[in-house]
Amino acid sequence: MPAIVSPNSFPHLFSPITIGGMEVRNRILSTGHDTVMAHDGQVTERLIAYHEARAKGGAGLIVVQVSGVHETARYTSHILMATSDEAIPGYARLAQAVHRHGTKLCGQLFHPGREIMETDDGTAPVAYAPSAVPNQRFRVMPVPLSLRMIGEIVSGYGDAAARMMKAGFDGCEIVASHGYLPAQFLNPNVNLRDDAYGGSVENRLRFLREVAADIRKKTQPTFVVGLRITGEEHDSQTLDASEVLAFCRLLDADGDIDYFNVVAGTSATLKGAVHIVPPMHFSGGYSAPFAAAMKAAVSKPVFVAGRINQPQLAEQVLASGQADMCGMTRAMICDPDMPAKAEAGRLDDIRACIACNQACIGHFHKGYPISCIQHPETGRELTLGIKTPAAVRKRIVVVGGGPAGMKAAAVLAGRGHDVELHEAESQLGGQTRLAQLLPGRAEFGGIITNLSREMEQAGVTVRRQSRVTRAMIDEMRVDAVVIATGGKPHWPHVEGYETSHVVDAWQVLRGQANVGTSVLIADWRSDWIGLGLAEKLAREGCRVKLCTEGIAAGEAIHGYVRNIMMATLHTLGVEVIPYARLFGSDGNTVYMEHTASGAPIIFDDIDTLVLAQGHDRVADLEAELDDFAGEVHVIGDANTPRTAEEAVLEGLKVGRAI
Ligand SMILES: Cc1cc2nc3c(=O)[nH]c(=O)nc-3n(C[C@H](O)[C@H](O)[C@H](O)COP(=O)(O)O)c2cc1C
Ligand code: SF4
């Protein structure tokens, strides 16, 4: 039975708040986040549909992704630009779509300084910053800003804000967070200037003060002006957190800023960037204590973001007085209707974000429109967002209860089909059940909880411990079969296995491998599995060598997740060997081949060789159904082994297709 929770359970979350001239209906905020849905610097219909879905779902305030305020602000090839009046019609359509649902809208005013990721033609960028201090992450050596350019950029902020106001936005937010240009001026490790913009606190704050004043000069008094600011950058070249509070006190006293929006991390370094979109390794709401310090320092409302993925947690942050609004960005990328469900007390129906970073920020950093592994409709509102009821009710059997099968079953039943899902094991989840056993990744199992609920709501009949055969299909008289039978560990043909102790990743995770003290992991996919196994075994006391076929361990996964896992492996003393392909084994010796030089790499004294060599598809039923008269669809790893993201997406697509 789903928990029945009264809407009064969230008295703080659903109380309105007035910020400057803007009244917001609740305390739920979608913070600014790049979507890779802009085109030629302009708002697109896809971007509007994306934000409208969140407005419709009940978000109180949406802050739209960064908009460049100057030509030198193009930090990616898909940034929005607010540098000309051409931006106004797109902004206006976006504002109308969001306002239609009672949600307020602010824009982000942005200059990255030295934090330039890419150019639109693949050449290395010319970046400008307070001083010629290099960036670690993108290897950018910036040009120090001239006074003339500083003046131009300051004026660009005000002009951009005026365009947003003209388009109907309720306000704007200066992005002084994450080590971007305003933060570079504030940081004495990055700002080495000896003119009026460097040195003393007053001088380092001058740029931000001029920006805020220029915006105020060019906008109406009711137009909200917020400040996004990092409290703790979590790095050695860091901006001191107590100094950040001092800066904010001064800005607060000036009276130009209506709210302070607190986050963690910096774009400049691998260690600091992890906190920009914190993975599941960090606890929910971990930046809230800094927000509380900010609240004690300033008179205006304080917002906070960072792993607040459930309304209960947001309510706690608000009730304890740590912040006035909660950023719940991935929470709404994963479930746009989260606010409405929370308000209606339908807590069990909320699809909680698991902070995997796979399809949201993971897509962004690959240059693709953002989505969610659990909710592939996100970012695809115009193509996959609307589900039409089935024209004819069909009897459908879904074989396999992993993410692909569960999503397909939920969507098919939701459209009115009669759906039975058969799972051979006693529990649903497929490989997700193993993935959640990797260290620090327990939350990944949330996919099973969420998809189980989607199936329950849609009315899917679930049969566990039921291995489906052709005879059963014939007996059930179904119209369509969806094969989602997953995969199994791939064992490549390698010489000498029989003389060595060889186990696979699944056996290790299930506790079925009697692993020795000295272990070598042969990692083909260069993803979470190799990294996670290495951590698990090192924590259990093994001496671990992680040989990865990629150019770096974790090469295939999102950088923030990889970097936090690599940091742990480094601390645990795991030896990581890239460019290494498994060649053979002989007793306690493992032979690898360097993938670039072709030279042998030989490891002696290995007790156990662990195979993390990907998966083979399991789809025997497909051949059995060769002459089946109805429809047959093969999805997920049974189609071809990949990740949970593709499994759920294919589940959705087949769910719409029948
Ligand atoms: C895909 C993606 C893109 C982001 N881009 C921006 C951005 O353009 N500006 C910004 O200030 N923060 C950006 N962020 C950070 C978010 O605003 C937010 O601080 C972060 O996701 C943590 O909040 P959450 O745990 O509620 O998701 C981005 C986050 C994601 C997931
Ligand atoms: S892809 Fe993962 S981190 Fe991103 S919104 Fe979905 S569940 Fe959350």
Side-chain angles (χ1 to χ4, degrees):
M1 275 289 287
I4 306 295
V5 178
S6 142
N8 296 336
S9 304
F10 302 110
H12 296 87
L13 196 58
F14 291 103
S15 66
I17 178 170
T18 303
I19 300 154
M22 167 175 80
E23 170 141 357
V24 184
R25 63 178 157 184
N26 61 40
R27 308 300 180 100
I28 301 173
L29 160 72
S30 173
T31 59
H33 57 284
D34 204 317
T35 55
V36 196
M37 294 179 205
H39 186 67
D40 275 345
Q42 304 295 320
V43 168
T44 59
E45 295 314 305
R46 184 173 188 169
L47 182 66
I48 293 173
Y50 169 80
H51 283 300
E52 185 164 9
R54 270 119 209 106
K56 199 169 162 201
L61 171 63
I62 289 177
V63 178
V64 178
Q65 69 194 70
V66 298
S67 291
V69 298
H70 187 263
E71 268 311 305
T72 54
R74 293 179 186 270
Y75 84 137
T76 65
S77 53
H78 41 79
I79 185 178
L80 278 176
M81 292 298 284
T83 43
S84 87
D85 287 353
E86 254 181 81
I88 297 173
Y91 284 155
R93 288 200 311 281
L94 177 61
Q96 281 156 18
V98 165
H99 285 156
R100 203 177 293 144
H101 302 280
T103 301
K104 301 293 183 197
L105 186 71
C106 290
Q108 280 194 323
L109 303 177
F110 181 72
H111 196 295
R114 63 181 182 161
E115 300 303 316
I116 305 243
M117 286 190 201
E118 59 176 15
T119 58
D120 58 8
D121 67 357
T123 57
V126 179
Y128 295 88
S131 307
V133 177
N135 148 294
Q136 177 204 87
R137 196 158 147 240
F138 309 122
R139 300 180 190 86
V140 169
M141 176 56 88
V143 180
L145 281 162
S146 65
L147 292 178
R148 184 187 55 78
M149 264 186 92
I150 292 178
E152 251 182 44
I153 292 171
V154 167
S155 182
Y157 278 91
D159 294 343
R163 291 186 182 106
M164 289 176 178
M165 189 183 72
K166 197 164 177 196
F169 282 29
D170 301 284
C172 66
E173 177 178 284
I174 305 164
V175 182
S177 54
H178 300 132
Y180 297 122
L181 183 61
Q184 289 161 33
F185 272 102
L186 298 179
N187 189 339
N189 298 304
V190 180
N191 177 355
L192 309 179
R193 299 177 76 99
D194 54 11
D195 60 7
Y197 292 91
S200 66
V201 164
E202 289 283 327
N203 280 1
R204 280 181 282 135
L205 187 58
R206 189 176 309 282
F207 177 78
L208 250 182
R209 278 182 152 155
E210 288 180 356
V211 164
D214 195 68
I215 297 169
R216 281 291 175 212
K217 191 173 79 189
K218 294 173 180 166
T219 56
Q220 299 291 334
T222 49
F223 190 67
V224 169
V225 182
L227 182 80
R228 194 157 218 220
I229 188 105
T230 291
E232 300 181 49
E233 290 192 340
H234 295 281
D235 207 80
S236 54
Q237 293 297 297
T238 202
L239 184 55
D240 183 65
S242 57
E243 218 181 21
V244 172
L245 292 176
F247 285 128
C248 290
R249 263 190 219 103
L250 290 169
L251 290 170
D252 191 44
D254 291 348
D256 287 337
I257 300 296
D258 291 314
Y259 70 80
F260 293 85
N261 185 0
V262 170
V263 273
T266 171
S267 162
T269 62
L270 297 185
K271 183 165 177 278
V274 166
H275 296 271
I276 300 179
V277 188
M280 62 180 85
H281 297 77
F282 295 94
S283 55
Y286 75 110
S287 342
F290 185 78
M294 183 65 81
K295 254 185 88 64
V298 299
S299 63
K300 299 288 169 46
V302 171
F303 305 170
V304 67
R307 284 281 278 126
I308 304 177
N309 69 337
Q310 287 277 37
Q312 298 91 325
L313 180 55
E315 178 67 22
Q316 250 176 42
V317 169
L318 298 168
S320 63
Q322 289 172 300
D324 300 292
M325 280 196 80
C326 284
M328 303 186 75
T329 304
R330 282 172 295 171
M332 288 184 282
I333 293 177
C334 187
D335 191 343
D337 297 323
M338 179 276 295
K341 289 176 182 174
E343 195 166 21
R346 293 170 47 209
L347 299 191
D348 286 354
D349 297 349
I350 294 172
R351 186 184 312 104
C353 163
I354 56 173
C356 66
N357 279 7
Q358 218 173 312
C360 50
I361 189 76
H363 277 206
F364 166 27
H365 285 165
K366 286 187 197 154
Y368 298 111
I370 66 164
S371 187
C372 173
I373 66 165
Q374 300 193 73
H375 189 61
E377 292 90 334
T378 286
R380 301 181 175 101
E381 284 77 10
L382 295 175
T383 50
L384 301 181
I386 297 162
K387 295 179 194 83
T388 44
V392 180
R393 185 168 204 254
K394 291 188 176 168
R395 193 159 151 63
I396 301 169
V397 66
V398 176
V399 188
M406 286 200 277
K407 184 70 179 184
V411 176
L412 287 165
R415 290 181 47 238
H417 289 301
D418 174 9
V419 183
E420 249 181 44
L421 179 137
H422 291 247
E423 165 56 46
E425 307 275 327
S426 58
Q427 286 173 290
L428 296 171
Q431 287 177 54
T432 313
R433 281 182 27 238
L434 290 171
Q436 68 184 344
L437 298 176
L438 291 167
R441 295 192 60 82
E443 214 163 328
F444 203 75
I447 295 182
I448 309 171
T449 318
N450 293 332
L451 286 170
S452 298
R453 181 70 187 134
E454 281 184 39
M455 287 203 298
E456 197 183 325
Q457 275 180 303
V460 176
T461 305
V462 176
R463 309 255 182 247
R464 292 180 172 79
Q465 290 180 298
S466 169
R467 194 171 291 279
V468 174
T469 60
R470 170 66 196 258
M472 284 165 73
I473 301 252
D474 289 340
E475 202 175 308
M476 286 189 272
R477 297 180 176 281
V478 293
D479 302 301
V481 181
V482 178
I483 300 176
T485 37
K488 62 177 188 215
H490 174 64
W491 282 60
H493 297 291
V494 174
E495 266 179 50
Y497 275 171
E498 57 292 347
T499 64
S500 306
H501 182 224
V502 186
V503 298
D504 64 46
W506 290 24
Q507 290 169 323
V508 174
L509 290 171
R510 284 179 171 147
Q512 296 165 340
N514 186 16
V515 175
T517 317
S518 169
V519 180
L520 186 148
I521 300 166
D523 169 26
W524 168 69
R525 283 212 326 196
S526 305
D527 67 1
W528 316 268
I529 302 175
L531 292 170
L533 285 175
E535 180 178 341
K536 175 183 161 62
L537 293 170
R539 286 193 188 284
E540 288 169 6
C542 301
R543 276 194 320 281
V544 181
K545 293 185 194 329
L546 173 60
C547 288
T548 186
E549 223 169 298
I551 59 171
E555 182 192 358
I557 64 176
H558 181 246
Y560 300 166
V561 179
R562 174 181 62 238
N563 295 339
I564 189 92
M565 294 180 88
M566 283 299 284
T568 308
L569 295 196
H570 183 254
T571 318
L572 292 171
V574 170
E575 193 184 341
V576 180
I577 302 108
Y579 292 98
R581 183 176 81 85
L582 182 60
F583 193 81
S585 71
D586 180 9
N588 286 0
T589 303
V590 176
Y591 300 94
M592 311 289 293
E593 180 186 46
H594 192 277
T595 53
S597 72
I601 322 173
I602 301 167
F603 298 96
D604 293 318
D605 301 322
I606 303 297
D607 300 327
T608 305
L609 169 61
V610 179
L611 300 179
Q613 295 283 308
H615 303 107
D616 294 322
R617 63 196 288 261
V618 174
D620 307 347
L621 190 61
E622 189 184 10
E624 286 183 51
L625 293 178
D626 232 7
D627 60 348
F628 175 66
E631 286 179 57
V632 178
H633 300 265
V634 187
I635 59 171
D637 275 12
N639 183 4
T640 188
R642 286 150 298 160
T643 75
E645 178 182 357
E646 294 78 19
V648 176
L649 175 61
E650 286 179 4
L652 170 63
K653 284 185 175 167
V654 89
R656 293 165 51 89
I658 301 179

